[in-house]
Amino acid sequence: MERPEIDNVIYTEEQIRAKVGELARQITEDYEKDAGERPLLLVGILKGAFIFLADIARQLEVPLEFDFMAVSSYGSATKTSGVVRILKDLDTDITGRHVLLIEDIIDTGLTLNYLMGNLRARGPASLEICAFLNKRVTNKVDLPIKYEGFSIPDVFVVGYGLDAAENYRNLPYIASIKR
Ligand code: IMP
């Protein structure tokens, strides 16, 4: 099938695999040192993080549990306003747990900033961020991103879980699109 909108491939499957491996090694090392009594809880932000979460989870060599949140922004379709609506909350009580948020991409950072505040208030033992992509130039808040895959310029990208109007999430690579 033709993909008329797909512009340049930014990260190939091989580059993605290598970066996921690198991140997984760092995370394994950190959480092995401070293994809590309960398994590390990976929290995937739906929908975009589902593929990254599945990939990195299978590379992590520490005990894991999983949960998910789904959020929607009150902003326009492509820009977040910072006011976030929780469409699906966690099933897990995170009090006293080590929690690692798994996000596909950070643009303004407002979505994660809101989520960090919301989750911190629930009293986790630790709360960190692992984001595969970060558009540092468009960040509006200074997020404590402990694990970052790639820093990318301000281009709209799809694939590897990321969509344009729900399309292209299944592409195994990350590409920019013509708009
Ligand atoms: P933020 O609150 O501005 O950081 O928005 C983050 C969310 O915007 C991500 O979880 C994505 O859903 C979406 N987003 C931002 N940039 C892109 C992109 O280039 N492609 C696809 N989705 C994006």
Side-chain angles (χ1 to χ4, degrees):
M1 198 183 102
E2 283 265 323
R3 304 265 196 201
E5 279 187 305
I6 297 294
D7 198 0
N8 293 314
V9 173
I10 297 183
Y11 297 110
T12 63
E13 268 189 90
E14 289 70 26
Q15 288 171 311
I16 292 172
R17 197 176 308 121
K19 184 57 80 177
V20 170
E22 221 177 276
L23 289 170
R25 276 190 294 280
Q26 275 180 48
I27 295 169
T28 297
E29 222 181 277
D30 291 351
Y31 287 90
E32 261 173 357
K33 273 184 227 143
D34 182 21
E37 283 170 20
R38 305 276 308 275
L40 170 64
L41 182 68
L42 291 190
V43 171
I45 312 301
L46 297 173
K47 299 174 193 168
F50 78 110
I51 290 181
F52 176 43
L53 177 86
D55 276 356
I56 198 157
R58 284 175 293 173
Q59 302 286 323
L60 291 175
E61 295 174 27
V62 289
L64 293 177
E65 287 182 15
F66 299 87
D67 207 339
F68 297 91
M69 287 186 90
V71 296
S72 85
S73 161
Y74 282 112
S76 69
T78 53
K79 281 289 159 198
T80 23
S81 62
V83 185
V84 171
R85 189 156 57 111
I86 295 181
L87 302 175
K88 187 225 167 286
D89 205 340
L90 297 175
D91 297 325
T92 317
D93 176 4
I94 61 168
T95 312
R97 299 288 302 266
H98 289 293
V99 177
L100 181 58
L101 280 182
I102 306 288
E103 178 64 306
D104 50 359
I105 187 166
I106 297 173
D107 183 7
T108 62
L110 293 171
T111 306
L112 266 191
N113 193 47
Y114 172 86
L115 281 182
M116 288 293 279
N118 182 295
L119 295 177
R120 221 179 261 126
R122 304 182 196 191
S126 69
L127 179 64
E128 301 292 355
I129 295 171
C130 174
F132 195 63
L133 302 176
N134 185 11
K135 294 183 188 172
R136 283 188 201 159
V137 286
T138 55
N139 288 180
K140 286 190 179 158
V141 280
D142 200 13
L143 281 171
I145 306 165
K146 184 136 186 212
Y147 309 99
E148 179 180 297
F150 298 107
S151 167
I152 64 163
D154 185 18
V155 286
F156 199 84
V157 291
V158 295
Y160 201 60
L162 292 156
D163 73 308
E166 294 302 325
N167 290 307
Y168 305 119
R169 290 193 197 273
N170 60 316
L171 295 181
Y173 50 84
I174 291 168
S176 58
I177 57 167
K178 302 178 196 120
R179 305 221 95 188

